[in-house]
Amino acid sequence: MKKERSQKNTIVRIKDIALKAAVSTGTVDRVIHNRGRVAEDVKNRVLKIIKELNYEPNLMARMLGSKKEYHFAALFPDHSYDAFWTAPKSGIEKAEQDFKQYNVFVEQYVFNPQDVKDYIKKATELTRKKPDGILLSPIYYKETLPFFEKWNADNIPFVLFNTQIADFDPLSYIGQDSYQSGLLAAKLAHYGNPDACSMLIAHIDEKISNAQHLVKKEQGFRNYFAQNNLDHKYKILNVELTRSSQSSFIKSLDTLIENTFDLKQIFVTTSQAYDIAKYLEQRHINHIKLIGYDLIPPNLHYLNNGAISFLINQNPKGQGYWGIYQLAEHLVFKKEVPIIKYLPLDVVTKENLNYFLDEKDQVFIEI
Amino acid sequence: MKKERSQKNTIVRIKDIALKAAVSTGTVDRVIHNRGRVAEDVKNRVLKIIKELNYEPNLMARMLGSKKEYHFAALFPDHSYDAFWTAPKSGIEKAEQDFKQYNVFVEQYVFNPQDVKDYIKKATELTRKKPDGILLSPIYYKETLPFFEKWNADNIPFVLFNTQIADFDPLSYIGQDSYQSGLLAAKLAHYGNPDACSMLIAHIDEKISNAQHLVKKEQGFRNYFAQNNLDHKYKILNVELTRSSQSSFIKSLDTLIENTFDLKQIFVTTSQAYDIAKYLEQRHINHIKLIGYDLIPPNLHYLNNGAISFLINQNPKGQGYWGIYQLAEHLVFKKEVPIIKYLPLDVVTKENLNYFLDEKDQVFIEI
DNA sequence: CACAAATGCGTGTTCGCACACAAATTTAAT
DNA sequence: ATTAAATTTGTGTGCGAACACGCATTTGTG
């Protein structure tokens, strides 16, 4: 005497399909996996019944017997050059952990972000290994395209994160809406400065030419004031700074501040807000408010002492996690994945910072 | 010729343990599940080997053959009385969806939040059904205690969300740190009002006596100013309002505003900020800024038109989701779950609102 | 028309675990 | 010592899908 589970009638197995289609389970299996060796009409019949019965394969059973392994490759900058990248790395590892029960393995390829050659080298290495899926942050545009082409030809799905490249459509893009984050920054800047003043948009250490997202952030910031008919009230400047030489960095700021009337707000579009904060501290300037990006340690220091008012969190750990997640969804679970996945724009202050930090046991959640 | 999976050597099965302990798999199984009927010495031997080999049961295989079903009960207010509760409901349903592959079923018991009797009735009903786990928002303190006692006696784990009751320790509490959210609100209020002024804390439609979290929010708000030595600069008032009578609500506000010098900021500790927004709109007052809680439709309306500056998101959908999640972690996967789980304090403005709304296709994630 | 190759399809085994049942062993009772 | 009872341990089967294997039938080739 068998016990039947209560939802027996609602659960459709391969066997049920086989029965209804008057074929063997082997045939149904062949249809499902496109293994060929099935007559066209039989195939269609089975397919139709699968749809009718709304068959959903039992993941447990599928994984159980299967020895299939999934090898993903993750290509992103070495965090020793930029602390930002520790977070994606940890997200990737968390996802690997979560999916290891499904035989998912992730190989990390980290490169020196200041060295195009290294980028190409690591990408080449990765490509040679023929992974089942690729997650990457394609910080070099031109150099990446040939790889996209190759992967497309090899039918290897790839997911982009943090930096978007629209050509050769990827399986998915994970990241932030830079334009929107510019709008958000402007809203905060406006909120904190009810009275007319000057504001500065500072791009530090990244060439605008190579970084479309910086442009978008600036556009967003400026458009907020335009859209709200505030551009007569606030004067918005912008500047590109580099930290290559400490003294020139300081000198540039000195002249900027000297020549700008009533500068009250600086919006740093990169994760280097702490550099400005440090400068302001050294110069004992405390009437200029700062908004920046990314919860990296030096930024947190100045967030906590009040030099930085807000940081916009790019959810870097989430980016890594979701990247692997999407690949798994697509390859392991054969689900459709959204072509674009924007992560929330988190406004972080000293008061809610804790919840965005990477506590071992803290959890991501999204709805 | 069998293909061995690459990690074969690292994966420990019951069979391996049995082999090493020189017993049958049945015995190992009995040890693992404490089914008794195993000689003491054998049991210890097996237990030791399990630990040595670091055995981790294969979830797939476990679920596959098992007909075990998990029935959870979820007790929370009917959303037709307060739109806030649509979100937890949808989170609960999302979680049910996610865990249904593990034979998890959730039965919802919704009650009229204004009717203690209904609360008790639904709780009694639920208790009679003897679910495997319970998720509830215990909005009535005194009335809940006997149930806690009963569930403890019956050994049914329960998870609290949104409202915390510390007695009879629950498996887990999911919610927000109200005090911290008060601090956050104060930070925002301060940021938007650099100059001295008066601020009002408004508790609408909930009796403070019954709602510890409102007290905490107020404490947080006040303490921000105290901690930053700002209490000489800003004057903080508070008021309890009820909407039972439209006219008295308005009248109270009228007198408040008339008698308060330089009132520039109102902090609404409940989800009824829209009521104040509406009032301010009717009175054509636009120099008073509003901060409130919860992304419910009427609030969103005023967030979008600028009457409300910020909403603090309590992540209600996440609360529901995580509640069920914790129960499943505990009961299905036998994992330890954190006793307290604070969800992030999201600062929501018109500019980042989109990312916090309940897109059909958006996903949960956790790290 | 014979015979091989290709194609179509069914059978049987496997995955790791749970659980029912059978078997073996020990203990108690006479 | 014999047998019954209680306790301990072993065996077998099912869960649903994947896939290797192989038999049967069709198609192709000379």
Side-chain angles (χ1 to χ4, degrees):
Chain A
M1 180 84 71
K2 267 193 273 184
K3 275 189 221 152
E4 300 287 351
R5 61 175 60 195
S6 67
Q7 74 278 52
K8 167 64 194 289
N9 30 6
T10 80
I11 284 210
V12 182
R13 294 111 75 215
I14 278 196
K15 215 198 278 185
D16 302 319
I17 295 165
L19 190 70
K20 193 151 186 181
V23 295
S24 76
T25 61
T27 304
V28 176
D29 179 70
R30 254 163 263 138
V31 171
I32 289 173
H33 293 87
N34 256 310
R35 282 193 236 285
R37 309 185 137 245
V38 180
E40 200 58 28
D41 56 330
V42 175
K43 180 171 170 180
N44 289 135
R45 182 151 39 101
V46 171
L47 242 28
K48 200 176 136 222
I49 291 178
I50 287 183
K51 200 166 275 174
E52 264 177 35
L53 262 45
N54 218 317
Y55 168 74
E56 280 191 31
N58 181 322
L59 275 188
M60 314 291 162
R62 164 173 289 167
M63 295 312 299
L64 182 56
S66 160
K67 318 173 195 324
K68 189 167 185 68
E69 295 180 358
Y70 298 89
H71 292 269
F72 297 162
L75 177 68
F76 56 93
D78 190 335
H79 65 269
S80 53
Y81 296 94
D82 181 348
F84 174 81
W85 296 100
T86 51
K89 180 180 165 70
S90 107
I92 286 167
E93 283 162 3
K94 164 81 175 149
E96 184 180 14
Q97 189 62 27
D98 279 8
F99 288 108
K100 98 174 169 202
Q101 50 179 328
Y102 300 104
N103 287 338
V104 168
F105 302 88
V106 181
E107 184 145 6
Q108 295 181 16
Y109 297 83
V110 297
F111 58 90
N112 176 347
Q114 289 141 25
D115 181 358
V116 200
K117 282 213 207 97
D118 192 40
Y119 176 76
I120 295 176
K121 187 178 149 220
K122 295 291 158 48
T124 311
E125 240 173 68
L126 167 176
T127 306
R128 205 176 313 119
K129 283 275 189 72
K130 292 207 181 295
D132 300 298
I134 299 166
L135 171 66
L136 77 159
S137 182
I139 63 168
Y140 295 104
Y141 175 73
K142 202 168 84 255
E143 290 75 6
T144 307
L145 294 182
F147 287 102
F148 281 2
E149 206 156 353
K150 169 88 172 118
W151 298 335
N152 260 342
D154 290 357
N155 234 319
I156 303 177
F158 52 93
V159 171
L160 311 182
F161 74 103
N162 208 271
T163 302
Q164 189 170 13
I165 293 185
D167 326 56
F168 295 95
D169 34 36
L171 175 65
S172 185
Y173 164 72
I174 320 255
Q176 254 186 356
D177 186 337
S178 300
Y179 176 80
Q180 198 70 27
S181 82
L183 280 179
L184 176 61
K187 157 66 155 268
L188 295 169
H190 176 213
Y191 189 75
N193 295 282
D195 301 321
C197 65
S198 297
M199 297 185 179
L200 176 67
I201 303 170
H203 308 288
I204 302 185
D205 244 20
E206 280 194 53
K207 279 180 221 81
I208 273 233
S209 51
N210 213 343
Q212 193 54 30
H213 59 280
L214 300 189
V215 181
K216 294 252 184 71
K217 285 172 183 173
E218 172 159 352
Q219 280 174 354
F221 194 87
R222 288 183 177 278
N223 279 7
Y224 173 91
F225 292 96
Q227 283 163 15
N228 293 285
N229 296 317
L230 294 162
D231 35 9
H232 56 282
K233 184 166 170 189
Y234 297 94
K235 187 163 182 346
I236 317 285
L237 313 159
N238 69 327
V239 64
E240 268 186 75
L241 294 170
T242 158
R243 296 175 304 166
S244 54
S245 144
Q246 178 73 8
S247 62
S248 78
F249 179 79
I250 291 180
K251 217 167 287 171
S252 312
L253 280 174
D254 278 342
T255 44
L256 246 168
I257 286 175
E258 199 170 320
N259 297 326
T260 306
F261 172 73
D262 201 24
L263 179 62
K264 283 203 175 148
Q265 177 79 54
I266 301 182
F267 169 45
V268 183
T269 59
T270 60
S271 57
Q272 275 77 33
Y274 60 89
D275 266 324
I276 307 265
K278 194 166 138 204
Y279 164 86
L280 293 177
E281 196 175 56
Q282 282 170 352
R283 287 280 187 269
H284 302 289
I285 301 176
N286 52 29
H287 64 277
I288 298 184
K289 291 172 171 163
L290 265 175
I291 293 175
Y293 284 87
D294 301 332
L295 307 183
I296 58 176
N299 277 346
L300 298 184
H301 171 75
Y302 291 107
L303 185 71
N304 276 320
N305 80 10
I308 296 179
S309 312
F310 296 103
L311 289 171
I312 294 175
N313 182 24
Q314 316 223 36
N315 210 331
K317 186 171 177 185
Q319 291 189 20
Y321 184 91
W322 282 104
I324 298 299
Y325 181 96
Q326 303 277 50
L327 284 172
E329 282 285 288
H330 178 68
L331 289 166
V332 182
F333 305 115
K334 324 246 182 262
K335 288 196 193 164
E336 276 201 34
V337 301
I339 292 163
I340 197 156
K341 179 172 183 61
Y342 284 131
L343 296 180
L345 297 168
D346 295 321
V347 175
V348 181
T349 83
K350 190 167 78 175
E351 283 74 19
N352 65 349
L353 168 61
N354 253 310
Y355 305 100
F356 297 101
L357 290 183
D358 184 23
E359 279 189 52
K360 196 177 76 230
D361 183 271
Q362 201 141 347
V363 205
F364 271 85
I365 179 170
E366 183 181 335
I367 308 201
Chain B
M1 178 86 72
K2 264 192 274 182
K3 275 188 223 152
E4 299 287 351
R5 60 175 60 190
S6 67
Q7 75 277 49
K8 167 64 190 291
N9 30 8
T10 80
I11 284 211
V12 182
R13 293 112 74 216
I14 279 193
K15 212 199 277 185
D16 301 317
I17 295 166
L19 191 71
K20 194 152 186 180
V23 294
S24 76
T25 60
T27 303
V28 176
D29 178 70
R30 253 163 265 140
V31 172
I32 289 174
H33 293 87
N34 255 310
R35 284 193 232 285
R37 315 188 138 249
V38 179
E40 199 60 28
D41 57 329
V42 176
K43 179 171 172 180
N44 289 135
R45 182 152 39 100
V46 171
L47 241 28
K48 197 174 138 225
I49 291 178
I50 286 183
K51 202 168 272 176
E52 264 177 36
L53 263 43
N54 217 318
Y55 168 75
E56 281 192 28
N58 181 322
L59 276 188
M60 314 291 164
R62 168 170 288 173
M63 294 312 300
L64 182 56
S66 156
K67 316 173 198 324
K68 190 170 184 67
E69 296 180 357
Y70 298 90
H71 292 269
F72 297 163
L75 177 68
F76 56 93
D78 190 334
H79 63 269
S80 52
Y81 296 93
D82 181 348
F84 175 80
W85 297 100
T86 51
K89 180 180 164 70
S90 109
I92 286 167
E93 282 160 3
K94 163 88 175 139
E96 184 179 15
Q97 188 62 26
D98 279 8
F99 287 109
K100 94 171 174 204
Q101 51 179 323
Y102 300 105
N103 287 339
V104 168
F105 302 87
V106 181
E107 183 144 6
Q108 296 181 15
Y109 296 83
V110 298
F111 58 91
N112 176 347
Q114 290 140 25
D115 180 358
V116 200
K117 284 214 208 96
D118 193 40
Y119 176 74
I120 295 176
K121 186 177 149 219
K122 295 291 158 48
T124 311
E125 241 173 65
L126 169 175
T127 306
R128 205 175 314 120
K129 283 276 191 71
K130 293 206 179 296
D132 300 297
I134 299 167
L135 170 67
L136 77 161
S137 182
I139 63 169
Y140 294 104
Y141 174 74
K142 200 168 86 259
E143 290 76 5
T144 307
L145 295 183
F147 288 103
F148 281 3
E149 208 157 351
K150 169 87 173 118
W151 298 336
N152 260 341
D154 290 357
N155 234 320
I156 303 176
F158 52 92
V159 171
L160 310 183
F161 75 103
N162 209 273
T163 302
Q164 190 170 10
I165 293 184
D167 327 57
F168 296 94
D169 34 35
L171 175 64
S172 185
Y173 164 72
I174 321 252
Q176 253 186 357
D177 186 337
S178 300
Y179 176 80
Q180 199 69 26
S181 82
L183 281 178
L184 176 60
K187 157 65 153 268
L188 294 170
H190 177 213
Y191 190 75
N193 295 283
D195 301 321
C197 66
S198 298
M199 296 186 180
L200 175 68
I201 303 170
H203 309 289
I204 303 185
D205 242 21
E206 280 194 54
K207 279 179 222 81
I208 273 231
S209 51
N210 212 342
Q212 193 55 28
H213 60 279
L214 299 190
V215 180
K216 295 252 184 71
K217 285 172 182 172
E218 172 159 353
Q219 279 174 354
F221 194 87
R222 289 182 178 279
N223 279 8
Y224 174 91
F225 291 97
Q227 283 163 15
N228 292 284
N229 296 317
L230 293 163
D231 35 9
H232 56 284
K233 185 167 167 188
Y234 297 94
K235 185 160 183 341
I236 316 286
L237 314 159
N238 68 330
V239 63
E240 268 187 76
L241 294 170
T242 159
R243 296 175 304 166
S244 53
S245 143
Q246 178 73 10
S247 60
S248 77
F249 179 79
I250 291 180
K251 219 166 287 175
S252 312
L253 279 174
D254 278 342
T255 44
L256 247 168
I257 287 174
E258 199 170 321
N259 298 326
T260 308
F261 173 72
D262 203 23
L263 179 62
K264 282 203 175 152
Q265 177 80 53
I266 301 181
F267 169 45
V268 183
T269 58
T270 59
S271 57
Q272 275 77 35
Y274 60 90
D275 266 324
I276 306 264
K278 193 166 136 203
Y279 164 85
L280 293 176
E281 197 176 56
Q282 282 170 353
R283 287 281 187 265
H284 301 290
I285 302 176
N286 52 29
H287 63 278
I288 298 182
K289 290 171 173 164
L290 262 176
I291 293 175
Y293 284 87
D294 301 332
L295 308 183
I296 56 177
N299 277 344
L300 297 183
H301 170 73
Y302 290 107
L303 185 71
N304 276 321
N305 79 10
I308 296 178
S309 312
F310 296 103
L311 288 171
I312 295 176
N313 183 22
Q314 317 221 39
N315 212 330
K317 186 170 176 183
Q319 292 189 19
Y321 184 90
W322 284 106
I324 297 300
Y325 181 95
Q326 303 279 51
L327 285 173
E329 284 284 287
H330 178 68
L331 290 166
V332 182
F333 305 117
K334 323 247 182 264
K335 287 197 193 163
E336 276 200 32
V337 301
I339 291 163
I340 199 157
K341 179 175 184 62
Y342 284 133
L343 296 180
L345 297 169
D346 296 320
V347 175
V348 182
T349 82
K350 190 168 77 177
E351 283 74 19
N352 66 350
L353 168 62
N354 252 311
Y355 304 101
F356 296 101
L357 290 183
D358 182 24
E359 281 189 52
K360 195 180 75 226
D361 181 88
Q362 208 142 343
V363 208
F364 272 85
I365 181 170
E366 183 179 340
I367 305 203

